Amino acid sequence: EVQLVDSGGGLIQPGGSLRLSCAASGFSVSTTYMNWVRQAPGKGLEWVSVIYLGGTTYYADSVKGRFTISRDNSQNTVDLQMNSLTAEDTAVYYCARGGGFGKYYFDYWGQGTLVTVSS
Amino acid sequence: EIVLTQSPGTLSLSPGERATLSCRASQSVSSNYLVWYQQKPGQAPRLLIYGASSRATGIPDRFSGSGSGTDFTLTISRLEPEDSAVYYCQQYGSSRFTFGPGTKVDIK
C-alpha cells in the first residue's frame, strides 16, 4: 500500500529555517517525481516544488532561492529545506507523488504538516 | 505562466442535482495536462480526473471531465451529500504545476 507521511512542521520565527520530511512506503521515491504542495489557512492549493527522476528540481517563484527539495533513495524520503521563512510561508505542507513518467498528476498525498511562521 | 480561473466560486445545490464546474486557462493547455482534485475539510486532496477526462481509480462514474484548449469542465451528474468539498483544477507546463483557486460545492 502506498503511503506518504509528512513531518517536521512547527512554529518558527520569521527569518528562521525548517526542514520538512516525507517518508514514503509501498513504492520507491526513485521511481517517480515527487512534489511539495502547500495550503495557507483558509486558502487554496499552491504547488511549491518538484524533484524529477534525474534529480532536476523546480520551484514556485514564491520560494525560489529559499527552499530546496531533495531526495534520499536509501531512506525513501523526500525533504524540503525552508530558509528565510516569512509569515506568508505559513501553511499546511503536503508531499505528493507524481503519477509517473508522462503522467502529470499527483496520485497520492501525505496527510500534511503545519508550518506556522510567527514571532 | 499559465493562470487557471475557476467558476463559480461557490455552488449550492441539492442532492440529485447536476453540478457543472468550470476551469479556464489563460493559454491553451494540453488535455493530457489538465487534472481535477477534490478536497474535503481537514483532508488532503484526492485525485479525481486526469488527462481532462479519465477517472482515477475508485472514482464513481457520476464524476466526469471534459474540455480542451482553454476551457475544461468537471461535471457531477447526481450530487451525493459526500460530494460536498472544494474542487481544484491543476495544469502542468514548463516542468511546473499550477492550481486553480477552487470551487466550493455545498450540498443543501
Side-chain angles (χ1 to χ4, degrees), chain A residues 33 35 39 43-45 47 52 58-59 94 104-106 109-110, chain B residues 33 35 37 39 43-45 47 50 88 90 92 95-97 99:
Chain A
Y33 63 96
N35 304 266
Q39 186 169 37
K43 303 297 184 183
L45 302 171
W47 173 80
Y52 285 103
Y58 292 91
Y59 301 90
Y94 296 100
Y104 304 101
Y105 53 80
F106 306 157
W109 296 65
Chain B
Y33 301 164
V35 182
Y37 298 91
Q39 187 181 33
Q43 297 184 15
L47 176 65
Y50 63 92
Y88 296 93
Q90 177 205 51
Y92 165 83
S95 302
R96 295 167 177 82
F97 300 84
F99 289 93

PDB file of all heavy atoms in Angstrom, chain A residues 33 35 39 43-45 47 52 58-59 94 104-106 109-110, chain B residues 33 35 37 39 43-45 47 50 88 90 92 95-97 99:
ATOM      1  N   TYR A  33       8.486  11.198  -9.979  1.00  0.00           N
ATOM      2  CA  TYR A  33       8.786  12.537  -9.476  1.00  0.00           C
ATOM      3  C   TYR A  33       7.971  12.805  -8.215  1.00  0.00           C
ATOM      4  O   TYR A  33       6.886  12.260  -8.027  1.00  0.00           O
ATOM      5  CB  TYR A  33       8.533  13.593 -10.567  1.00  0.00           C
ATOM      6  CG  TYR A  33       7.109  13.712 -11.060  1.00  0.00           C
ATOM      7  CD1 TYR A  33       6.249  14.669 -10.530  1.00  0.00           C
ATOM      8  CD2 TYR A  33       6.627  12.903 -12.087  1.00  0.00           C
ATOM      9  CE1 TYR A  33       4.963  14.796 -10.991  1.00  0.00           C
ATOM     10  CE2 TYR A  33       5.343  13.023 -12.553  1.00  0.00           C
ATOM     11  CZ  TYR A  33       4.508  13.972 -11.997  1.00  0.00           C
ATOM     12  OH  TYR A  33       3.224  14.085 -12.463  1.00  0.00           O
ATOM     13  N   ASN A  35       6.709  15.829  -5.179  1.00  0.00           N
ATOM     14  CA  ASN A  35       6.358  17.243  -5.075  1.00  0.00           C
ATOM     15  C   ASN A  35       6.049  17.653  -3.638  1.00  0.00           C
ATOM     16  O   ASN A  35       5.727  16.813  -2.793  1.00  0.00           O
ATOM     17  CB  ASN A  35       5.091  17.536  -5.897  1.00  0.00           C
ATOM     18  CG  ASN A  35       5.216  17.131  -7.332  1.00  0.00           C
ATOM     19  OD1 ASN A  35       5.571  17.915  -8.196  1.00  0.00           O
ATOM     20  ND2 ASN A  35       4.915  15.867  -7.611  1.00  0.00           N
ATOM     21  N   GLN A  39      -0.779  24.803   1.480  1.00  0.00           N
ATOM     22  CA  GLN A  39      -2.112  25.424   1.563  1.00  0.00           C
ATOM     23  C   GLN A  39      -2.147  26.320   2.786  1.00  0.00           C
ATOM     24  O   GLN A  39      -2.140  25.837   3.925  1.00  0.00           O
ATOM     25  CB  GLN A  39      -3.184  24.341   1.655  1.00  0.00           C
ATOM     26  CG  GLN A  39      -4.600  24.861   1.600  1.00  0.00           C
ATOM     27  CD  GLN A  39      -5.599  23.728   1.414  1.00  0.00           C
ATOM     28  OE1 GLN A  39      -5.446  22.635   1.956  1.00  0.00           O
ATOM     29  NE2 GLN A  39      -6.650  23.980   0.648  1.00  0.00           N
ATOM     30  N   LYS A  43      -7.088  28.997   2.500  1.00  0.00           N
ATOM     31  CA  LYS A  43      -6.782  29.325   1.092  1.00  0.00           C
ATOM     32  C   LYS A  43      -6.701  28.072   0.227  1.00  0.00           C
ATOM     33  O   LYS A  43      -6.922  26.961   0.699  1.00  0.00           O
ATOM     34  CB  LYS A  43      -5.448  30.091   1.029  1.00  0.00           C
ATOM     35  CG  LYS A  43      -5.414  31.352   1.868  1.00  0.00           C
ATOM     36  CD  LYS A  43      -6.430  32.382   1.408  1.00  0.00           C
ATOM     37  CE  LYS A  43      -6.298  33.671   2.197  1.00  0.00           C
ATOM     38  NZ  LYS A  43      -7.338  34.662   1.790  1.00  0.00           N
ATOM     39  N   GLY A  44      -6.374  28.287  -1.036  1.00  0.00           N
ATOM     40  CA  GLY A  44      -6.294  27.189  -1.982  1.00  0.00           C
ATOM     41  C   GLY A  44      -4.924  26.524  -1.990  1.00  0.00           C
ATOM     42  O   GLY A  44      -4.042  26.841  -1.190  1.00  0.00           O
ATOM     43  N   LEU A  45      -4.777  25.587  -2.910  1.00  0.00           N
ATOM     44  CA  LEU A  45      -3.540  24.838  -3.043  1.00  0.00           C
ATOM     45  C   LEU A  45      -2.515  25.622  -3.848  1.00  0.00           C
ATOM     46  O   LEU A  45      -2.856  26.281  -4.838  1.00  0.00           O
ATOM     47  CB  LEU A  45      -3.820  23.499  -3.744  1.00  0.00           C
ATOM     48  CG  LEU A  45      -4.831  22.578  -3.065  1.00  0.00           C
ATOM     49  CD1 LEU A  45      -5.175  21.411  -3.969  1.00  0.00           C
ATOM     50  CD2 LEU A  45      -4.300  22.097  -1.726  1.00  0.00           C
ATOM     51  N   TRP A  47       1.281  24.835  -5.576  1.00  0.00           N
ATOM     52  CA  TRP A  47       2.414  23.962  -5.833  1.00  0.00           C
ATOM     53  C   TRP A  47       3.690  24.685  -5.425  1.00  0.00           C
ATOM     54  O   TRP A  47       3.862  25.870  -5.720  1.00  0.00           O
ATOM     55  CB  TRP A  47       2.452  23.592  -7.308  1.00  0.00           C
ATOM     56  CG  TRP A  47       3.682  22.836  -7.685  1.00  0.00           C
ATOM     57  CD1 TRP A  47       3.916  21.508  -7.498  1.00  0.00           C
ATOM     58  CD2 TRP A  47       4.853  23.369  -8.300  1.00  0.00           C
ATOM     59  NE1 TRP A  47       5.167  21.174  -7.965  1.00  0.00           N
ATOM     60  CE2 TRP A  47       5.757  22.295  -8.461  1.00  0.00           C
ATOM     61  CE3 TRP A  47       5.218  24.640  -8.724  1.00  0.00           C
ATOM     62  CZ2 TRP A  47       7.015  22.470  -9.034  1.00  0.00           C
ATOM     63  CZ3 TRP A  47       6.466  24.821  -9.293  1.00  0.00           C
ATOM     64  CH2 TRP A  47       7.353  23.731  -9.435  1.00  0.00           C
ATOM     65  N   TYR A  52      12.489  15.678 -10.082  1.00  0.00           N
ATOM     66  CA  TYR A  52      12.266  14.669 -11.098  1.00  0.00           C
ATOM     67  C   TYR A  52      13.225  13.508 -10.930  1.00  0.00           C
ATOM     68  O   TYR A  52      14.158  13.541 -10.116  1.00  0.00           O
ATOM     69  CB  TYR A  52      12.397  15.302 -12.495  1.00  0.00           C
ATOM     70  CG  TYR A  52      11.201  16.154 -12.858  1.00  0.00           C
ATOM     71  CD1 TYR A  52      11.258  17.548 -12.794  1.00  0.00           C
ATOM     72  CD2 TYR A  52       9.996  15.569 -13.249  1.00  0.00           C
ATOM     73  CE1 TYR A  52      10.157  18.322 -13.117  1.00  0.00           C
ATOM     74  CE2 TYR A  52       8.892  16.343 -13.578  1.00  0.00           C
ATOM     75  CZ  TYR A  52       8.982  17.711 -13.500  1.00  0.00           C
ATOM     76  OH  TYR A  52       7.888  18.483 -13.818  1.00  0.00           O
ATOM     77  N   TYR A  58      12.565  22.014  -9.602  1.00  0.00           N
ATOM     78  CA  TYR A  58      11.936  23.276  -9.975  1.00  0.00           C
ATOM     79  C   TYR A  58      11.164  23.797  -8.772  1.00  0.00           C
ATOM     80  O   TYR A  58      10.722  23.019  -7.922  1.00  0.00           O
ATOM     81  CB  TYR A  58      10.980  23.089 -11.155  1.00  0.00           C
ATOM     82  CG  TYR A  58      11.679  22.754 -12.449  1.00  0.00           C
ATOM     83  CD1 TYR A  58      11.909  21.434 -12.813  1.00  0.00           C
ATOM     84  CD2 TYR A  58      12.124  23.758 -13.303  1.00  0.00           C
ATOM     85  CE1 TYR A  58      12.558  21.113 -13.984  1.00  0.00           C
ATOM     86  CE2 TYR A  58      12.775  23.448 -14.493  1.00  0.00           C
ATOM     87  CZ  TYR A  58      12.996  22.123 -14.817  1.00  0.00           C
ATOM     88  OH  TYR A  58      13.650  21.813 -15.984  1.00  0.00           O
ATOM     89  N   TYR A  59      10.978  25.125  -8.754  1.00  0.00           N
ATOM     90  CA  TYR A  59      10.338  25.770  -7.627  1.00  0.00           C
ATOM     91  C   TYR A  59       9.333  26.811  -8.096  1.00  0.00           C
ATOM     92  O   TYR A  59       9.502  27.421  -9.160  1.00  0.00           O
ATOM     93  CB  TYR A  59      11.390  26.448  -6.744  1.00  0.00           C
ATOM     94  CG  TYR A  59      12.424  25.484  -6.209  1.00  0.00           C
ATOM     95  CD1 TYR A  59      13.593  25.226  -6.907  1.00  0.00           C
ATOM     96  CD2 TYR A  59      12.214  24.817  -5.000  1.00  0.00           C
ATOM     97  CE1 TYR A  59      14.523  24.322  -6.432  1.00  0.00           C
ATOM     98  CE2 TYR A  59      13.146  23.914  -4.516  1.00  0.00           C
ATOM     99  CZ  TYR A  59      14.297  23.670  -5.247  1.00  0.00           C
ATOM    100  OH  TYR A  59      15.227  22.771  -4.765  1.00  0.00           O
ATOM    101  N   TYR A  94       2.042  19.617   2.055  1.00  0.00           N
ATOM    102  CA  TYR A  94       1.763  18.246   1.658  1.00  0.00           C
ATOM    103  C   TYR A  94       2.848  17.735   0.719  1.00  0.00           C
ATOM    104  O   TYR A  94       3.246  18.437  -0.227  1.00  0.00           O
ATOM    105  CB  TYR A  94       0.446  18.158   0.884  1.00  0.00           C
ATOM    106  CG  TYR A  94      -0.806  18.519   1.647  1.00  0.00           C
ATOM    107  CD1 TYR A  94      -1.384  19.768   1.496  1.00  0.00           C
ATOM    108  CD2 TYR A  94      -1.437  17.588   2.469  1.00  0.00           C
ATOM    109  CE1 TYR A  94      -2.553  20.095   2.159  1.00  0.00           C
ATOM    110  CE2 TYR A  94      -2.615  17.902   3.146  1.00  0.00           C
ATOM    111  CZ  TYR A  94      -3.153  19.160   2.975  1.00  0.00           C
ATOM    112  OH  TYR A  94      -4.329  19.478   3.639  1.00  0.00           O
ATOM    113  N   TYR A 104       0.952  13.590 -15.638  1.00  0.00           N
ATOM    114  CA  TYR A 104       1.128  14.885 -14.975  1.00  0.00           C
ATOM    115  C   TYR A 104       0.057  15.139 -13.933  1.00  0.00           C
ATOM    116  O   TYR A 104      -0.735  16.077 -14.050  1.00  0.00           O
ATOM    117  CB  TYR A 104       1.188  15.973 -16.044  1.00  0.00           C
ATOM    118  CG  TYR A 104       2.285  15.697 -17.042  1.00  0.00           C
ATOM    119  CD1 TYR A 104       2.003  15.158 -18.293  1.00  0.00           C
ATOM    120  CD2 TYR A 104       3.614  15.932 -16.712  1.00  0.00           C
ATOM    121  CE1 TYR A 104       3.019  14.872 -19.190  1.00  0.00           C
ATOM    122  CE2 TYR A 104       4.630  15.655 -17.604  1.00  0.00           C
ATOM    123  CZ  TYR A 104       4.331  15.129 -18.835  1.00  0.00           C
ATOM    124  OH  TYR A 104       5.335  14.848 -19.710  1.00  0.00           O
ATOM    125  N   TYR A 105       0.030  14.276 -12.942  1.00  0.00           N
ATOM    126  CA  TYR A 105      -0.905  14.435 -11.840  1.00  0.00           C
ATOM    127  C   TYR A 105      -0.290  13.849 -10.582  1.00  0.00           C
ATOM    128  O   TYR A 105       0.699  13.131 -10.631  1.00  0.00           O
ATOM    129  CB  TYR A 105      -2.239  13.754 -12.157  1.00  0.00           C
ATOM    130  CG  TYR A 105      -2.121  12.306 -12.576  1.00  0.00           C
ATOM    131  CD1 TYR A 105      -1.949  11.297 -11.638  1.00  0.00           C
ATOM    132  CD2 TYR A 105      -2.208  11.944 -13.921  1.00  0.00           C
ATOM    133  CE1 TYR A 105      -1.835   9.977 -12.029  1.00  0.00           C
ATOM    134  CE2 TYR A 105      -2.104  10.619 -14.316  1.00  0.00           C
ATOM    135  CZ  TYR A 105      -1.912   9.641 -13.367  1.00  0.00           C
ATOM    136  OH  TYR A 105      -1.813   8.333 -13.756  1.00  0.00           O
ATOM    137  N   PHE A 106      -0.920  14.149  -9.441  1.00  0.00           N
ATOM    138  CA  PHE A 106      -0.435  13.683  -8.148  1.00  0.00           C
ATOM    139  C   PHE A 106      -1.430  12.643  -7.637  1.00  0.00           C
ATOM    140  O   PHE A 106      -2.569  12.987  -7.315  1.00  0.00           O
ATOM    141  CB  PHE A 106      -0.322  14.847  -7.165  1.00  0.00           C
ATOM    142  CG  PHE A 106       0.515  16.002  -7.662  1.00  0.00           C
ATOM    143  CD1 PHE A 106       0.324  17.264  -7.144  1.00  0.00           C
ATOM    144  CD2 PHE A 106       1.480  15.830  -8.650  1.00  0.00           C
ATOM    145  CE1 PHE A 106       1.083  18.344  -7.595  1.00  0.00           C
ATOM    146  CE2 PHE A 106       2.245  16.889  -9.106  1.00  0.00           C
ATOM    147  CZ  PHE A 106       2.037  18.155  -8.574  1.00  0.00           C
ATOM    148  N   TRP A 109      -1.060  11.537  -1.692  1.00  0.00           N
ATOM    149  CA  TRP A 109      -0.704  12.707  -0.910  1.00  0.00           C
ATOM    150  C   TRP A 109      -0.433  12.292   0.532  1.00  0.00           C
ATOM    151  O   TRP A 109      -1.078  11.368   1.053  1.00  0.00           O
ATOM    152  CB  TRP A 109      -1.843  13.728  -0.911  1.00  0.00           C
ATOM    153  CG  TRP A 109      -2.174  14.307  -2.247  1.00  0.00           C
ATOM    154  CD1 TRP A 109      -2.685  13.659  -3.344  1.00  0.00           C
ATOM    155  CD2 TRP A 109      -2.055  15.676  -2.630  1.00  0.00           C
ATOM    156  NE1 TRP A 109      -2.876  14.530  -4.382  1.00  0.00           N
ATOM    157  CE2 TRP A 109      -2.498  15.779  -3.965  1.00  0.00           C
ATOM    158  CE3 TRP A 109      -1.618  16.833  -1.976  1.00  0.00           C
ATOM    159  CZ2 TRP A 109      -2.515  17.000  -4.657  1.00  0.00           C
ATOM    160  CZ3 TRP A 109      -1.640  18.035  -2.653  1.00  0.00           C
ATOM    161  CH2 TRP A 109      -2.083  18.114  -3.985  1.00  0.00           C
ATOM    162  N   GLY A 110       0.488  13.011   1.181  1.00  0.00           N
ATOM    163  CA  GLY A 110       0.662  12.853   2.603  1.00  0.00           C
ATOM    164  C   GLY A 110      -0.474  13.538   3.354  1.00  0.00           C
ATOM    165  O   GLY A 110      -1.337  14.181   2.751  1.00  0.00           O
TER     166      GLY A 110
ATOM    167  N   TYR B  33      -2.607  17.372 -19.694  1.00  0.00           N
ATOM    168  CA  TYR B  33      -2.034  18.056 -18.535  1.00  0.00           C
ATOM    169  C   TYR B  33      -3.079  18.653 -17.604  1.00  0.00           C
ATOM    170  O   TYR B  33      -2.719  19.357 -16.663  1.00  0.00           O
ATOM    171  CB  TYR B  33      -1.092  19.169 -18.996  1.00  0.00           C
ATOM    172  CG  TYR B  33       0.072  18.735 -19.862  1.00  0.00           C
ATOM    173  CD1 TYR B  33       0.788  19.683 -20.596  1.00  0.00           C
ATOM    174  CD2 TYR B  33       0.464  17.412 -19.950  1.00  0.00           C
ATOM    175  CE1 TYR B  33       1.857  19.310 -21.399  1.00  0.00           C
ATOM    176  CE2 TYR B  33       1.542  17.030 -20.739  1.00  0.00           C
ATOM    177  CZ  TYR B  33       2.228  17.990 -21.468  1.00  0.00           C
ATOM    178  OH  TYR B  33       3.294  17.621 -22.253  1.00  0.00           O
ATOM    179  N   VAL B  35      -6.009  18.348 -14.797  1.00  0.00           N
ATOM    180  CA  VAL B  35      -6.345  17.423 -13.710  1.00  0.00           C
ATOM    181  C   VAL B  35      -7.359  18.084 -12.771  1.00  0.00           C
ATOM    182  O   VAL B  35      -7.363  19.313 -12.626  1.00  0.00           O
ATOM    183  CB  VAL B  35      -5.066  17.062 -12.914  1.00  0.00           C
ATOM    184  CG1 VAL B  35      -5.372  16.066 -11.802  1.00  0.00           C
ATOM    185  CG2 VAL B  35      -3.988  16.502 -13.842  1.00  0.00           C
ATOM    186  N   TYR B  37      -8.979  17.723  -8.708  1.00  0.00           N
ATOM    187  CA  TYR B  37      -8.880  17.133  -7.382  1.00  0.00           C
ATOM    188  C   TYR B  37     -10.094  17.539  -6.549  1.00  0.00           C
ATOM    189  O   TYR B  37     -10.684  18.597  -6.759  1.00  0.00           O
ATOM    190  CB  TYR B  37      -7.622  17.613  -6.643  1.00  0.00           C
ATOM    191  CG  TYR B  37      -6.326  17.251  -7.309  1.00  0.00           C
ATOM    192  CD1 TYR B  37      -5.736  18.110  -8.225  1.00  0.00           C
ATOM    193  CD2 TYR B  37      -5.685  16.052  -7.027  1.00  0.00           C
ATOM    194  CE1 TYR B  37      -4.546  17.778  -8.849  1.00  0.00           C
ATOM    195  CE2 TYR B  37      -4.485  15.713  -7.640  1.00  0.00           C
ATOM    196  CZ  TYR B  37      -3.934  16.589  -8.552  1.00  0.00           C
ATOM    197  OH  TYR B  37      -2.748  16.258  -9.165  1.00  0.00           O
ATOM    198  N   GLN B  39     -11.132  18.142  -2.461  1.00  0.00           N
ATOM    199  CA  GLN B  39     -10.593  18.260  -1.111  1.00  0.00           C
ATOM    200  C   GLN B  39     -11.714  18.530  -0.118  1.00  0.00           C
ATOM    201  O   GLN B  39     -12.450  19.506  -0.259  1.00  0.00           O
ATOM    202  CB  GLN B  39      -9.543  19.361  -1.009  1.00  0.00           C
ATOM    203  CG  GLN B  39      -8.851  19.389   0.359  1.00  0.00           C
ATOM    204  CD  GLN B  39      -7.827  20.490   0.496  1.00  0.00           C
ATOM    205  OE1 GLN B  39      -7.961  21.564  -0.056  1.00  0.00           O
ATOM    206  NE2 GLN B  39      -6.766  20.207   1.269  1.00  0.00           N
ATOM    207  N   GLN B  43      -8.752  17.318   5.157  1.00  0.00           N
ATOM    208  CA  GLN B  43      -8.163  16.193   4.436  1.00  0.00           C
ATOM    209  C   GLN B  43      -7.229  16.668   3.336  1.00  0.00           C
ATOM    210  O   GLN B  43      -7.325  17.807   2.872  1.00  0.00           O
ATOM    211  CB  GLN B  43      -9.261  15.324   3.816  1.00  0.00           C
ATOM    212  CG  GLN B  43     -10.187  14.669   4.818  1.00  0.00           C
ATOM    213  CD  GLN B  43     -11.187  13.745   4.148  1.00  0.00           C
ATOM    214  OE1 GLN B  43     -11.038  13.367   2.983  1.00  0.00           O
ATOM    215  NE2 GLN B  43     -12.231  13.364   4.887  1.00  0.00           N
ATOM    216  N   ALA B  44      -6.350  15.775   2.928  1.00  0.00           N
ATOM    217  CA  ALA B  44      -5.519  16.048   1.763  1.00  0.00           C
ATOM    218  C   ALA B  44      -6.381  15.961   0.501  1.00  0.00           C
ATOM    219  O   ALA B  44      -7.427  15.295   0.492  1.00  0.00           O
ATOM    220  CB  ALA B  44      -4.383  15.040   1.692  1.00  0.00           C
ATOM    221  N   PRO B  45      -5.962  16.614  -0.557  1.00  0.00           N
ATOM    222  CA  PRO B  45      -6.697  16.485  -1.828  1.00  0.00           C
ATOM    223  C   PRO B  45      -6.689  15.040  -2.320  1.00  0.00           C
ATOM    224  O   PRO B  45      -5.799  14.256  -1.992  1.00  0.00           O
ATOM    225  CB  PRO B  45      -5.902  17.391  -2.774  1.00  0.00           C
ATOM    226  CG  PRO B  45      -5.216  18.360  -1.884  1.00  0.00           C
ATOM    227  CD  PRO B  45      -4.866  17.582  -0.649  1.00  0.00           C
ATOM    228  N   LEU B  47      -7.167  12.766  -5.962  1.00  0.00           N
ATOM    229  CA  LEU B  47      -7.199  12.808  -7.422  1.00  0.00           C
ATOM    230  C   LEU B  47      -8.544  12.292  -7.921  1.00  0.00           C
ATOM    231  O   LEU B  47      -8.973  11.207  -7.554  1.00  0.00           O
ATOM    232  CB  LEU B  47      -6.064  11.958  -7.982  1.00  0.00           C
ATOM    233  CG  LEU B  47      -6.002  11.806  -9.507  1.00  0.00           C
ATOM    234  CD1 LEU B  47      -5.723  13.145 -10.178  1.00  0.00           C
ATOM    235  CD2 LEU B  47      -4.955  10.766  -9.897  1.00  0.00           C
ATOM    236  N   TYR B  50      -7.840  12.844 -14.437  1.00  0.00           N
ATOM    237  CA  TYR B  50      -6.578  13.221 -15.058  1.00  0.00           C
ATOM    238  C   TYR B  50      -6.726  13.163 -16.567  1.00  0.00           C
ATOM    239  O   TYR B  50      -7.681  12.560 -17.077  1.00  0.00           O
ATOM    240  CB  TYR B  50      -5.434  12.313 -14.579  1.00  0.00           C
ATOM    241  CG  TYR B  50      -5.596  10.856 -14.939  1.00  0.00           C
ATOM    242  CD1 TYR B  50      -5.062  10.350 -16.113  1.00  0.00           C
ATOM    243  CD2 TYR B  50      -6.307   9.994 -14.120  1.00  0.00           C
ATOM    244  CE1 TYR B  50      -5.213   9.014 -16.454  1.00  0.00           C
ATOM    245  CE2 TYR B  50      -6.470   8.662 -14.442  1.00  0.00           C
ATOM    246  CZ  TYR B  50      -5.922   8.182 -15.614  1.00  0.00           C
ATOM    247  OH  TYR B  50      -6.085   6.861 -15.956  1.00  0.00           O
ATOM    248  N   TYR B  88     -10.504  21.496  -7.193  1.00  0.00           N
ATOM    249  CA  TYR B  88      -9.430  22.264  -7.814  1.00  0.00           C
ATOM    250  C   TYR B  88      -9.046  21.666  -9.169  1.00  0.00           C
ATOM    251  O   TYR B  88      -8.937  20.435  -9.293  1.00  0.00           O
ATOM    252  CB  TYR B  88      -8.175  22.245  -6.937  1.00  0.00           C
ATOM    253  CG  TYR B  88      -8.317  22.909  -5.594  1.00  0.00           C
ATOM    254  CD1 TYR B  88      -8.664  22.186  -4.459  1.00  0.00           C
ATOM    255  CD2 TYR B  88      -8.089  24.283  -5.451  1.00  0.00           C
ATOM    256  CE1 TYR B  88      -8.787  22.803  -3.217  1.00  0.00           C
ATOM    257  CE2 TYR B  88      -8.217  24.905  -4.217  1.00  0.00           C
ATOM    258  CZ  TYR B  88      -8.557  24.159  -3.104  1.00  0.00           C
ATOM    259  OH  TYR B  88      -8.664  24.772  -1.883  1.00  0.00           O
ATOM    260  N   GLN B  90      -5.904  21.649 -12.014  1.00  0.00           N
ATOM    261  CA  GLN B  90      -4.448  21.799 -12.000  1.00  0.00           C
ATOM    262  C   GLN B  90      -3.943  21.581 -13.419  1.00  0.00           C
ATOM    263  O   GLN B  90      -4.490  20.772 -14.168  1.00  0.00           O
ATOM    264  CB  GLN B  90      -3.815  20.756 -11.087  1.00  0.00           C
ATOM    265  CG  GLN B  90      -2.298  20.750 -11.048  1.00  0.00           C
ATOM    266  CD  GLN B  90      -1.744  19.378 -10.639  1.00  0.00           C
ATOM    267  OE1 GLN B  90      -2.093  18.346 -11.184  1.00  0.00           O
ATOM    268  NE2 GLN B  90      -0.874  19.384  -9.642  1.00  0.00           N
ATOM    269  N   TYR B  92      -0.188  21.318 -15.923  1.00  0.00           N
ATOM    270  CA  TYR B  92       1.262  21.143 -15.966  1.00  0.00           C
ATOM    271  C   TYR B  92       1.790  21.877 -17.203  1.00  0.00           C
ATOM    272  O   TYR B  92       1.202  21.797 -18.281  1.00  0.00           O
ATOM    273  CB  TYR B  92       1.612  19.674 -16.081  1.00  0.00           C
ATOM    274  CG  TYR B  92       3.039  19.394 -16.479  1.00  0.00           C
ATOM    275  CD1 TYR B  92       4.053  19.398 -15.541  1.00  0.00           C
ATOM    276  CD2 TYR B  92       3.365  19.143 -17.816  1.00  0.00           C
ATOM    277  CE1 TYR B  92       5.361  19.148 -15.911  1.00  0.00           C
ATOM    278  CE2 TYR B  92       4.670  18.896 -18.192  1.00  0.00           C
ATOM    279  CZ  TYR B  92       5.672  18.899 -17.236  1.00  0.00           C
ATOM    280  OH  TYR B  92       6.965  18.662 -17.613  1.00  0.00           O
ATOM    281  N   SER B  95       7.564  22.221 -16.966  1.00  0.00           N
ATOM    282  CA  SER B  95       8.121  21.456 -15.840  1.00  0.00           C
ATOM    283  C   SER B  95       7.561  21.863 -14.486  1.00  0.00           C
ATOM    284  O   SER B  95       8.092  21.444 -13.456  1.00  0.00           O
ATOM    285  CB  SER B  95       9.663  21.572 -15.820  1.00  0.00           C
ATOM    286  OG  SER B  95      10.212  21.114 -17.026  1.00  0.00           O
ATOM    287  N   ARG B  96       6.536  22.715 -14.491  1.00  0.00           N
ATOM    288  CA  ARG B  96       5.934  23.169 -13.237  1.00  0.00           C
ATOM    289  C   ARG B  96       4.431  22.909 -13.253  1.00  0.00           C
ATOM    290  O   ARG B  96       3.864  22.563 -14.287  1.00  0.00           O
ATOM    291  CB  ARG B  96       6.207  24.659 -13.033  1.00  0.00           C
ATOM    292  CG  ARG B  96       7.681  24.979 -12.837  1.00  0.00           C
ATOM    293  CD  ARG B  96       7.936  26.465 -12.947  1.00  0.00           C
ATOM    294  NE  ARG B  96       9.328  26.809 -12.705  1.00  0.00           N
ATOM    295  CZ  ARG B  96      10.297  26.729 -13.599  1.00  0.00           C
ATOM    296  NH1 ARG B  96      10.027  26.265 -14.803  1.00  0.00           N
ATOM    297  NH2 ARG B  96      11.529  27.085 -13.281  1.00  0.00           N
ATOM    298  N   PHE B  97       3.821  23.084 -12.102  1.00  0.00           N
ATOM    299  CA  PHE B  97       2.394  22.836 -11.958  1.00  0.00           C
ATOM    300  C   PHE B  97       1.715  24.074 -11.376  1.00  0.00           C
ATOM    301  O   PHE B  97       2.313  24.803 -10.592  1.00  0.00           O
ATOM    302  CB  PHE B  97       2.163  21.653 -11.017  1.00  0.00           C
ATOM    303  CG  PHE B  97       2.791  20.362 -11.484  1.00  0.00           C
ATOM    304  CD1 PHE B  97       4.125  20.096 -11.210  1.00  0.00           C
ATOM    305  CD2 PHE B  97       2.059  19.432 -12.197  1.00  0.00           C
ATOM    306  CE1 PHE B  97       4.724  18.908 -11.646  1.00  0.00           C
ATOM    307  CE2 PHE B  97       2.640  18.245 -12.633  1.00  0.00           C
ATOM    308  CZ  PHE B  97       3.962  17.991 -12.362  1.00  0.00           C
ATOM    309  N   PHE B  99      -2.298  25.394  -9.787  1.00  0.00           N
ATOM    310  CA  PHE B  99      -3.661  25.065  -9.398  1.00  0.00           C
ATOM    311  C   PHE B  99      -4.577  26.258  -9.653  1.00  0.00           C
ATOM    312  O   PHE B  99      -4.149  27.417  -9.574  1.00  0.00           O
ATOM    313  CB  PHE B  99      -3.733  24.734  -7.906  1.00  0.00           C
ATOM    314  CG  PHE B  99      -3.095  23.419  -7.527  1.00  0.00           C
ATOM    315  CD1 PHE B  99      -1.765  23.384  -7.119  1.00  0.00           C
ATOM    316  CD2 PHE B  99      -3.815  22.241  -7.561  1.00  0.00           C
ATOM    317  CE1 PHE B  99      -1.166  22.181  -6.756  1.00  0.00           C
ATOM    318  CE2 PHE B  99      -3.226  21.037  -7.206  1.00  0.00           C
ATOM    319  CZ  PHE B  99      -1.899  21.011  -6.802  1.00  0.00           C
TER     320      PHE B  99
END
